[in-house]
Amino acid sequence: MKFTEFGLDERLLEGIDSMGYENATPVQEQVIVPILQGKDIIASAQTGTGKTAAFLLPVINKIITEPHDAHLINAVVIVPTRELAVQIAQTMEGLSYFTDVSSIAVYGGSDGTSFTTEKKALSSGVDMVICTPGRMIAHLNMGYVRMEAVKYLILDEADRMLDMGFHDDIMKIISFLPKQRQNLLFSATMPMKMRELARKILHHPLEINIAISKPPEQIVQEAFILYEPQKIPLVKDILRRKDFQSVIIFCSRKSNVKQLSGELRRSKFSIGEIHSDLEQDAREQVLQDFRNKKLKILVATDILSRGIDIEEIDLVINYDVPNDGEDYVHRIGRTARAASTGTAYTFVTEAEQHKFAQIENLLGAPVTKAAVPEQFGPTPEYNPRKSRPSGGGSRRQGGRPGGRPGARQASGRNGHGGHSGARKPRP
Ligand code: AMP
């Protein structure tokens, strides 16, 4: 589903575009409209499904299109960790870039300066506060935070908050909010205690369950942790290991498709390439040749990953880590069709480790790490926490020219979240 179909404000569509999002993810398809209609929601959706934009977009849309007090807090997002607060603030900054909506991330453990910055933003009024419970309570206890205009409450990763013992803190924050408000609760799991919390907070919620599809069990999945320059030699090495009859190599960018195809062609592999620069006729012809086994190897972007039925692929190589768990499942689902076995290899560079760990998280199990042959030299450690990109939010890189500033400064107007006249400059 295209974002233009939701009836969102033009300024938000610009933000979505600059983030590089094209189609809504399943969770976005299911929750955006009910949130726009004012319904309470309880959604089981994990990180990596696009749930942040799923709640931010309709809430920002409502703030900018419905009457609201611009000098008071309109929305409160409560999250378990400062990392999540920063990540949401960054996505917020990107999506709301062309609107006047301001936001600030309020999280614990920082120095006194940031407490003062938060205090300033909270007391002068900021449209959206993205907070960890303890820190928010510290501010609330000081008496300068005005919550009487809050219309939207969002609890994200609510199960984790309960696991971390934040139940009472959450209820305390809620005690400061008006009774009349829209409540959205997102949680990866729905244990009993979550249902109890939901009963206390939500009013006739719409329940939404986003189950991630799992790859067929007969697919052997392995990941190579490597450096970017090791990718092409490793592809060639893998292709020479066995007489593969049908191989698809997925790249996230068409520039990679072109580069890899060129290299493989020079090394006399029987390959075809598919990407959006090719005319439909040319793509059909390549596909036809691949189906007929005239070509053994197909190098393609994700335009090929969904809905195209090719039987008997024995190997899928993810030359780049797919954008999310769904893309991963779709890509590797090209192999092991019709109960045959298949192999799926994923190349993971240092910068992609965090993204890959999110996919593993969604799959519910780590993918076996295969050894890169010694002749290719040393390889990086698999340490996704360390590899987390400092740019955070967007999984499609380079959406907005020049990138975005860091969350803390970016998340409030002029770095303090106040409603000054100086709106965000257009890039
Ligand atoms: P989340 O589940 O909210 O943590 O989102 C996971 C990643 O997907 C984030 O990096 C988002 O920027 C990105 N994302 C969210 N929605 C979309 C979309 N419709 N298209 C492409 N990327 C998206």
Side-chain angles (χ1 to χ4, degrees):
M1 189 171 177
K2 295 256 175 251
F3 281 103
T4 41
E5 294 170 53
F6 292 109
L8 294 168
D9 188 274
E10 207 46 53
R11 291 163 284 178
L12 265 182
L13 292 177
E14 271 190 80
I16 293 168
D17 197 45
S18 72
M19 292 288 279
Y21 302 173
E22 282 162 21
N23 296 306
T25 65
V27 67
Q28 291 161 358
E29 277 191 21
Q30 290 197 47
V31 309
I32 289 178
V33 171
I35 298 177
L36 286 172
Q37 289 167 345
K39 294 203 171 75
D40 276 14
I41 301 272
I42 176 167
S44 56
Q46 292 132 315
T47 295
T49 52
K51 68 180 164 59
T52 311
F55 63 76
L56 287 180
L57 286 170
V59 169
I60 306 169
N61 198 79
K62 285 170 85 80
I63 293 176
I64 59 180
T65 56
E66 292 176 8
H68 72 278
D69 196 327
H71 301 285
L72 292 172
I73 299 167
N74 281 275
V76 174
V77 184
I78 310 179
V79 301
T81 61
R82 66 168 91 170
E83 287 77 17
L84 188 59
V86 170
Q87 206 174 298
I88 294 175
Q90 284 172 335
T91 306
M92 175 68 190
E93 164 69 9
L95 293 174
S96 66
Y97 198 86
F98 298 95
T99 75
D100 285 340
V101 176
S102 61
S103 62
I104 187 162
V106 168
Y107 48 86
S110 323
D111 54 26
T113 326
S114 61
F115 195 91
T116 315
T117 311
E118 290 171 4
K119 177 180 171 186
K120 216 163 145 191
L122 289 169
S123 39
S124 62
V126 61
D127 295 314
M128 181 181 286
V129 176
I130 302 150
C131 59
T132 52
R135 181 69 153 211
M136 193 63 204
I137 286 178
H139 285 291
L140 284 167
N141 284 341
M142 311 280 274
Y144 44 72
V145 188
R146 291 179 58 192
M147 296 286 229
E148 69 261 30
V150 172
K151 286 199 201 155
Y152 313 98
L153 169 70
I154 298 112
L155 301 183
D156 195 13
E157 297 200 358
D159 50 350
R160 232 169 124 197
M161 289 204 275
L162 291 186
D163 288 345
M164 290 165 78
F166 285 141
H167 175 274
D168 293 352
D169 286 354
I170 294 171
M171 295 314 290
K172 174 141 196 211
I173 297 172
I174 291 175
S175 72
F176 285 86
L177 305 181
K179 295 241 170 329
Q180 191 67 25
R181 51 168 207 267
Q182 189 176 2
N183 304 287
L184 315 172
L185 186 153
F186 289 81
S187 184
T189 57
M190 284 296 160
M192 208 48 216
K193 56 183 178 179
M194 178 59 55
R195 305 230 160 246
E196 280 157 23
L197 179 75
R199 249 198 308 278
K200 284 186 220 162
I201 300 175
L202 308 176
H203 303 284
H204 307 297
L206 185 69
E207 189 159 340
I208 286 162
N209 196 348
I210 309 295
I212 166 119
S213 36
K214 301 266 177 194
E217 278 179 10
Q218 63 269 33
I219 301 178
V220 178
Q221 301 173 57
E222 290 184 2
F224 291 93
I225 311 301
L226 40 51
Y227 294 111
E228 188 72 38
Q230 295 172 319
K231 284 182 171 180
I232 291 178
L234 185 59
V235 170
K236 291 183 187 171
D237 181 75
I238 291 171
L239 294 175
R240 288 185 181 120
R241 286 180 193 176
K242 220 172 116 179
D243 185 21
F244 293 108
Q245 293 307 303
S246 267
V247 180
I248 302 184
I249 306 175
F250 283 110
C251 302
S252 297
R253 285 184 295 271
K254 62 185 165 210
S255 56
N256 285 357
V257 171
K258 290 177 186 173
Q259 188 198 10
L260 178 62
S261 306
E263 287 280 346
L264 293 179
R265 234 176 245 122
R266 270 190 286 284
S267 297
K268 307 281 180 262
F269 285 101
S270 149
I271 76 133
E273 61 186 278
I274 288 199
H275 48 75
S276 57
D277 280 357
L278 292 179
E279 295 294 332
Q280 190 61 27
D281 286 356
R283 285 191 222 167
E284 295 285 338
Q285 187 57 51
V286 174
L287 264 181
Q288 195 58 25
D289 292 346
F290 185 65
R291 282 202 184 97
N292 298 338
K293 308 270 189 296
K294 273 198 213 159
L295 295 170
K296 288 190 176 177
I297 303 161
L298 197 56
V299 185
T301 55
D302 280 305
I303 55 171
L304 196 75
S305 75
R306 295 180 191 222
I308 289 173
D309 209 20
I310 305 170
E311 299 281 313
E312 296 164 48
I313 309 285
D314 28 32
L315 175 66
V316 166
I317 299 177
N318 290 316
Y319 187 80
D320 305 299
V321 174
N323 284 320
D324 59 27
E326 284 293 336
D327 283 349
Y328 179 81
V329 172
H330 281 287
R331 281 186 184 188
I332 74 168
R334 300 292 102 209
T335 182
R337 303 208 124 198
S340 63
T341 54
T343 305
Y345 293 138
T346 303
F347 290 1
V348 187
T349 61
E350 274 182 303
E352 293 169 313
Q353 288 190 12
H354 176 66
K355 195 157 78 169
F356 191 64
Q358 281 191 340
I359 292 174
E360 288 182 308
N361 212 6
L362 284 175
L363 297 173
V367 173
T368 308
K369 309 296 175 301
V372 174
E374 263 178 34
Q375 76 251 33
F376 299 125
T379 51
E381 294 268 300
Y382 187 54
N383 189 354
R385 290 190 71 81
K386 210 176 108 206
S387 87
R388 196 183 179 92
S390 56
S394 172
R395 66 183 186 183
R396 306 247 195 254
Q397 314 238 306
R400 174 175 300 127
R404 289 192 304 276
R408 195 158 260 278
Q409 285 83 357
S411 56
R413 288 178 197 131
N414 302 332
H416 55 69
H419 281 254
S420 77
R423 296 300 197 216
K424 293 161 192 156
R426 293 172 78 94

